[in-house]
Amino acid sequence: MKRDLIRLSDYSGDEILGLIDSADRLKKQKGKLRADLEGKSVALVFQKPSNRTRVSFEVGVYELGGHCLYLGPDEINLGKRETTHDVAKTLSRYVHCIVARVFDNKDIVELAKYADVPVINALCDLYHPCQALADIQTIREQFGRFKGLTLAYVGDGNNVFHSLMVACVKVGINVRFAGPKGYDPNPDIVRQAREFARKSKCTIELGRDPKEAVKGANVIYADVWVSMGQEKETQKRVKEFKGYQINAALMKLAHKDYVFMHCLPAHRELEVTAEIIDGKHSVIFDQAENRLHAQKAVLLKLLK
Ligand code: CP
Ligand code: NVA
């Protein structure tokens, strides 16, 4: 049966560790061209803009010997030009995998339901699993372990946080969240993550106080306050997230050997100061690079 990657809660902790091990091996062979996907094509169906996700998938598929087609917002026009069902069925006759970036999680679930080939979530309103895989790969690179670490995420309880929280607790990293009222993570996803945390004996703490969250934390994580599709709320959000900026004063409370992470794109002087994101604790470009390796690991797992 085909396997999709819509959300990491569908993957066991061991499967996630297997993907990270594979990503590490692929990183060691950096630049080497392989033939695993020879004769295979991958469609990138994107409803939103992208730098990292698009480029790392295109390059990753190429390096594995396959062929990639980018289908931007004006091409497929999912659900508008034709039904998601018809898109899924049609693409399945041409390509061996669909990588989709959509607004609504329902659309990617529907794509996966009707496609006869694996579907990979390249970000939706609820999840960003490929980002989270690259993130935990980066964390293990930095610390050599997962157990005993604490990650503090400050800001919006969004798609990036949901996937990151699940990935972390599946591999044993404690998670803390601090954000303003009205921007908490999705309660169903939190409930599910708490179950995983119970099994792996780690913790999830949700609160409002960024100081409490970052105290002694090994990993400090930020994302934008305004996600793609929320542009109309910019003014309101910038006002409400004030006080949730990652800056030098706040970082005095973090563990002295903390690393700063951000999925990018970033807005300097909003969610994080330039001093921190461009400073010596920042590992943002390792994260960006690891998108390539982690996604190649996913492609190998789902397409071989
Ligand atoms: N982090 C991330 O997914 O970046 P892009 O939106 O540029 O793909
Ligand atoms: N939360 C952001 C992540 C971008 C990679 C968004 O959805 O726009």
Side-chain angles (χ1 to χ4, degrees), residues 14-304:
D14 282 345
E15 282 180 314
I16 292 174
L17 288 174
L19 285 169
I20 301 307
D21 290 344
S22 166
D24 282 349
R25 285 195 296 275
L26 288 158
K27 188 167 186 172
K28 284 201 188 94
Q29 309 168 356
K30 205 161 140 178
K32 186 179 163 221
L33 299 183
R34 300 170 52 128
D36 309 77
L37 299 191
E38 204 178 338
K40 296 197 172 161
S41 295
V42 176
L44 301 187
V45 178
F46 276 41
Q47 291 185 326
K48 301 177 184 183
S50 169
N51 170 4
R52 280 145 291 274
T53 310
R54 175 184 175 177
V55 177
S56 55
F57 265 111
E58 285 205 24
V59 172
V61 169
Y62 163 74
E63 289 181 354
L64 292 175
H67 169 68
C68 224
L69 293 103
Y70 175 75
L71 301 158
D74 295 332
E75 262 111 355
I76 296 270
N77 220 338
L78 208 63
K80 295 200 180 79
R81 187 163 181 268
E82 58 188 320
T83 64
T84 303
H85 168 274
D86 290 359
V87 170
K89 287 291 179 201
T90 303
L91 286 177
S92 298
R93 298 292 176 103
Y94 299 133
V95 302
H96 301 82
C97 178
I98 300 169
V99 175
R101 169 167 282 198
V102 301
F103 283 97
D104 191 338
N105 172 258
K106 284 194 200 85
D107 288 336
I108 191 137
V109 170
E110 205 179 331
L111 255 185
K113 180 175 169 193
Y114 295 117
D116 305 308
V117 297
V119 172
I120 298 174
N121 187 349
L123 180 147
C124 65
D125 55 341
L126 289 184
Y127 305 110
H128 197 0
C130 297
Q131 180 68 51
L133 288 172
D135 291 342
I136 60 169
Q137 182 189 5
T138 309
I139 292 172
R140 194 170 67 176
E141 251 170 21
Q142 290 296 322
F143 296 95
R145 67 193 160 98
F146 291 127
K147 294 266 183 267
L149 296 177
T150 295
L151 175 144
Y153 178 104
V154 176
D156 189 12
N158 62 13
N159 46 6
V160 167
F161 178 67
H162 291 152
S163 291
L164 184 65
M165 167 174 62
V166 170
C168 283
V169 297
K170 285 243 178 192
V171 299
I173 302 172
N174 301 310
V175 175
R176 295 190 200 140
F177 168 89
K181 213 166 161 222
Y183 299 96
D184 285 340
N186 177 300
D188 293 330
I189 300 173
V190 172
R191 210 169 301 124
Q192 210 181 19
R194 286 200 192 282
E195 280 295 305
F196 302 138
R198 202 170 48 82
K199 282 191 202 125
S200 62
K201 298 190 175 36
C202 57
T203 55
I204 296 176
E205 294 169 85
L206 307 182
R208 301 264 168 256
D209 185 354
K211 292 197 189 87
E212 281 299 316
V214 305
K215 212 175 274 172
N218 309 93
V219 180
I220 308 296
Y221 202 111
D223 185 13
V224 290
W225 292 338
V226 184
S227 282
M228 290 179 277
Q230 299 171 334
E231 290 78 8
K232 281 201 192 101
E233 299 170 32
T234 300
Q235 254 194 336
K236 177 172 175 269
R237 282 176 170 260
V238 168
K239 206 157 50 185
E240 293 181 346
F241 280 101
K242 214 170 157 230
Y244 290 89
Q245 184 189 64
I246 305 293
N247 53 39
L250 188 64
M251 288 307 91
K252 284 211 171 79
L253 302 171
H255 190 287
K256 69 172 180 32
D257 298 319
Y258 81 90
V259 298
F260 172 77
M261 299 180 75
H262 192 306
C263 56
L264 304 178
H267 296 112
R268 284 169 176 76
E269 307 310 328
L270 284 178
E271 71 270 10
V272 57
T273 58
E275 184 184 4
I276 296 297
I277 196 169
D278 300 321
K280 66 176 197 281
H281 293 274
S282 176
V283 295
I284 53 171
F285 298 117
D286 294 319
Q287 284 175 265
E289 176 184 336
N290 287 340
R291 296 291 305 277
L292 174 67
H293 310 302
Q295 287 158 196
K296 281 166 82 174
V298 171
L299 289 164
L300 287 180
K301 183 176 172 68
L302 301 186
L303 287 183
K304 267 197 95 174

